[in-house]
Amino acid sequence: MTISVDDRRPDELEDQSPPWWRQAVVYQVYPRSFADANGDGLGDIPGVVARADYLAELGVDAVWLSPFYPSELADGGYDVADYRDVDPRLGTLDDFDDMVGALHARGIRVVVDIVPNHTSDRHAWFQEALEAGRGSAARERYIFREGKGPQGAEPPTDWVSVFGGPAWERVADGQWYLHNFATEQPDLNWDHPEVRADFVRTLRFWSDRGVDGFRIDVAHMLTKDLTEPLPSRAELDALPFDGKHPLIDRDDVHEIYAEWRKVFNEYDPPRTAVAEAWVDPSRVPLYAHPESLGQAFNFDLLQSDFDAGQFRQVVSDNLDLAAASGSSSTWVLSNHDVVRHATRYGLPPLGEQQRGRDGIKQGAEWLRSGGAEPALDREGGLRRARAATLFVLGLPGSAYLYQGEELGLHEVAEIPASERQDPTFFRTAGEEIGRDGCRVPLPWTAEGPAFGFGVGAPHIPQPGWFAESAVDVEEADAGSTLSLYRHALELRHTLQTGETLEWIETGRPDVLHFRRPNGWEVVTNFGAEQYPLPAGDVELSSSPLGDAVIPAETTVWLVRPGE
Ligand code: NOJ
């Protein structure tokens, strides 16, 4: 039977609209640095509740919280000691429920971070494994092996951790355990049924509390083939990433996500998930597939210069990949792991040689010099960041924003070694400065203790220049980056349309122009020369426009009359 639109009840009509996450603006909260309600210098869950109106005014569709679980903070909370609780320094489960209520009441969905590759070494399971000793059932939940050489004093392999240094650590009785990240983050054994069952329990635990979705940390590393003899580092490095690599992006990881998908679909609406999967682009659709996690991060813009050619390639490739999986694309310019995009675009471009995965290290030299060299073009970086943001917010798919980017914040380079927290800093003896510079507590007010973050000394020191970018300063300024984001998100809600775009050729290699199905057009001049303003009503621009021209490094949103 066919029914006409008029016959359908409102709830049935709602069923016809695309799921909320397909073109959402998701705002990442790094809880310990967002807002501190109890004055201990650490941001907390009541701090998020206190700023719920701010998030609503900003106009985001969802908030993704980085881990807020009990943790010794060996890796900013990505070392989880208990997956089904709130760190007492950040609040209680009741506070969490209040936060979900406060955000839902404002139409904002809640996404939480799940960290399944490793636990904290303080997790009850790991403590039990240490006590129970070699050969015990408790050690089976992790990856323990005997060492090599006399008395097994050498690690089982020469593998290195993602954060630098060896990937194996020896325990008191002489066995070694695998940790692909910090020493305090032992890798779990995903062949173990209890591990699998426990994460399903965790997903249900948060889903039952009203959580709308999950961000899956290092989704591509859970399953491993550790058949003896283990390969050396050189042998590992020579292997292709074809689904059979012993450690990375194995095909069998999708058995886990197929099971999780069934759990997500038990809920109404189904819970969503987004994969953090650093894999070959051809394999991203496996994670983004509707029978797997449903969406995957695309980090290509984190590794691109502010360059029209690179941006167009990234957009075209990722729209194709999204189409191949049936998912929608995602766009990320900043997050808690990379140098803020205002700063990246204020430093010399990466150039052909350094692009790719290493692009994420952009700013490393500048950070090492404490922000001295190469010189940062603060103003230019911010102008380019605003243009890039408006470009991205006009694209089909979901945009993931990172707290503080709406203030146009720059990376903080001037953090003394004694105040640094990132394990990469310590594991590379300071060679890599790490990610603390984008995790500095937010400035809410130009005056007052900790720039309004809280009354206690902030857990990472804030620089004096944060005052200029404080929320209260930017709220009072119609030309501020905060005003631009608010305006853009409000307009995006009214302009949002089908998940496609059509490129319009500009005749200039440094200018991109695309049109969405309803006539919403986005033009970005990446170059230094002005570009004639195309016909249409100007809805928004990232910098003031000239007389019928788009100035250098500026994005404009247009709507064609009559469309
Ligand atoms: C990716 C997270 O984004 C990062 O912050 C963390 O250090 C690693 N995974 C390890 O959990």
Side-chain angles (χ1 to χ4, degrees):
M1 183 184 85
T2 42
I3 52 169
S4 76
V5 169
D6 290 343
D7 289 337
R8 287 179 288 171
R9 299 190 312 268
D11 57 329
E12 288 174 322
L13 267 176
E14 202 165 281
D15 287 348
Q16 305 299 312
S17 55
W20 69 268
W21 53 269
R22 292 194 70 94
Q23 300 214 67
V25 172
V26 184
Y27 181 91
Q28 181 188 358
V29 165
Y30 189 75
R32 290 173 178 81
S33 298
F34 185 66
D36 172 19
N38 67 0
D40 65 356
L42 270 188
D44 43 37
I45 300 288
V48 179
V49 177
R51 300 295 177 178
D53 282 337
Y54 173 80
L55 296 166
E57 264 179 72
L58 184 55
V60 300
D61 301 303
V63 162
W64 146 37
L65 294 123
S66 279
F68 48 81
Y69 315 111
S71 168
E72 280 305 304
L73 302 184
D75 180 22
Y78 283 88
D79 47 321
V80 180
D82 181 349
Y83 291 88
R84 297 185 286 271
D85 204 352
V86 174
D87 189 321
R89 290 165 293 186
L90 271 63
T92 61
L93 281 170
D94 284 343
D95 292 331
F96 182 85
D97 295 341
D98 288 348
M99 181 196 70
V100 172
L103 293 174
H104 280 175
R106 290 162 178 81
I108 300 173
R109 261 100 175 181
V110 180
V111 173
V112 302
D113 221 308
I114 296 293
V115 189
N117 180 67
H118 41 264
T119 67
S120 157
D121 61 351
R122 308 299 171 100
H123 191 285
W125 276 356
F126 194 73
Q127 290 299 314
E128 193 189 334
L130 290 183
E131 265 187 31
R134 53 160 52 78
S136 62
R139 287 212 174 168
E140 288 299 309
R141 297 192 193 107
Y142 293 90
I143 300 166
F144 278 88
R145 292 287 182 277
E146 298 302 336
K148 291 202 301 204
Q151 283 87 47
E154 286 164 35
T157 67
D158 59 351
W159 299 349
V160 288
S161 107
V162 173
F163 292 154
W168 296 93
E169 181 73 7
R170 201 169 197 199
V171 301
D173 62 23
Q175 271 203 315
W176 297 77
Y177 68 87
L178 179 69
H179 60 90
N180 270 300
F181 292 87
T183 313
E184 299 85 353
Q185 293 169 300
D187 279 43
L188 282 165
N189 169 15
W190 273 90
D191 285 337
H192 200 302
E194 276 181 42
V195 171
R196 295 199 180 211
D198 198 68
F199 274 88
V200 165
R201 197 175 148 207
T202 295
L203 296 173
R204 287 214 174 91
F205 178 86
W206 294 109
S207 298
D208 290 343
R209 295 194 106 88
V211 157
D212 302 278
F214 301 93
R215 177 261 189 195
I216 311 302
D217 190 65
V218 284
H220 56 301
M221 286 177 66
L222 276 47
T223 54
K224 293 159 183 110
D225 176 5
L226 298 173
T227 315
E228 301 282 349
L230 297 176
S232 68
R233 181 183 176 189
E235 284 165 342
L236 264 189
D237 287 350
L239 292 172
F241 296 111
D242 59 356
K244 297 181 193 65
H245 189 281
L247 299 184
I248 314 272
D249 186 27
R250 294 178 52 75
D251 286 336
D252 51 15
V253 78
H254 297 287
E255 291 163 15
I256 298 169
Y257 301 139
E259 187 186 357
W260 289 12
R261 172 50 54 196
K262 287 194 193 125
V263 176
F264 300 149
N265 290 351
E266 284 168 11
Y267 291 86
D268 182 20
R271 297 327 191 217
T272 68
V274 58
E276 187 221 16
W278 290 94
V279 298
D280 186 86
S282 65
R283 296 184 52 88
V284 171
L286 295 172
Y287 295 83
H289 195 275
E291 282 167 23
S292 182
L293 293 173
Q295 199 178 46
F297 281 124
N298 136 38
F299 292 132
D300 295 348
L301 291 175
L302 299 181
Q303 304 163 68
S304 306
D305 294 319
F306 180 76
D307 175 275
Q310 292 178 44
F311 267 56
R312 179 163 174 168
Q313 189 71 50
V314 165
V315 170
S316 300
D317 290 352
N318 282 284
L319 291 179
D320 289 350
L321 282 175
S325 65
S327 186
S328 60
S329 193
T330 58
W331 310 106
V332 184
L333 289 168
S334 280
N335 67 25
H336 66 299
D337 287 333
V338 298
V339 168
R340 286 185 178 277
H341 66 288
T343 303
R344 294 203 311 273
Y345 298 152
L347 292 169
L350 285 168
E352 201 72 48
Q353 296 297 315
Q354 292 168 6
R355 228 169 284 131
R357 283 288 315 253
D358 270 357
I360 216 144
K361 301 221 170 92
Q362 197 192 6
E365 202 187 331
W366 176 82
L367 281 172
R368 265 196 301 275
S369 74
E373 292 293 334
L376 171 65
D377 173 5
R378 283 187 174 260
E379 216 178 290
L382 181 54
R383 185 173 60 248
R384 290 170 210 124
R386 289 165 55 114
T389 298
L390 273 204
F391 177 88
V392 155
L393 289 175
L395 290 170
S398 302
Y400 284 78
L401 309 181
Y402 177 54
Q403 69 178 38
E405 69 166 86
E406 77 279 17
L407 305 174
L409 283 187
H410 274 285
E411 187 82 1
V412 181
E414 55 272 45
I415 303 172
S418 57
E419 304 277 355
R420 293 218 167 258
Q421 300 181 2
D422 190 342
T424 51
F425 179 74
F426 302 105
R427 293 185 65 86
T428 62
E431 172 64 19
E432 282 189 41
I433 297 295
R435 304 159 291 179
D436 298 314
C438 63
R439 300 175 177 184
V440 178
L442 290 188
W444 293 91
T445 55
E447 307 283 333
F451 300 111
F453 168 69
V455 293
H459 69 108
I460 306 177
Q462 301 155 302
W465 51 262
F466 260 30
E468 296 154 34
S469 304
V471 172
D472 65 349
V473 172
E474 296 212 11
E475 274 181 332
D477 174 5
S480 70
T481 303
L482 179 58
S483 299
L484 178 73
Y485 270 68
R486 283 183 175 172
H487 200 169
L489 297 192
E490 191 186 353
L491 271 172
R492 186 180 145 108
H493 279 126
T494 62
L495 293 173
Q496 197 51 278
T497 176
E499 289 178 34
T500 56
L501 62 72
E502 174 200 349
W503 293 107
I504 296 169
E505 297 309 327
T506 63
R508 280 254 308 255
D510 55 356
V511 179
L512 295 184
H513 185 170
F514 63 84
R515 179 189 294 136
R516 301 289 300 278
N518 59 353
W520 174 18
E521 296 191 9
V522 176
V523 191
T524 301
N525 179 2
F526 289 82
E529 302 296 321
Q530 60 188 36
Y531 179 77
L533 184 65
D537 295 335
V538 173
E539 298 288 333
L540 192 60
S541 68
S542 63
S543 312
L545 296 186
D547 189 10
V549 291
I550 305 178
E553 303 175 332
T554 298
T555 295
V556 181
W557 285 4
L558 297 163
V559 173
R560 288 266 180 183
E563 299 204 44

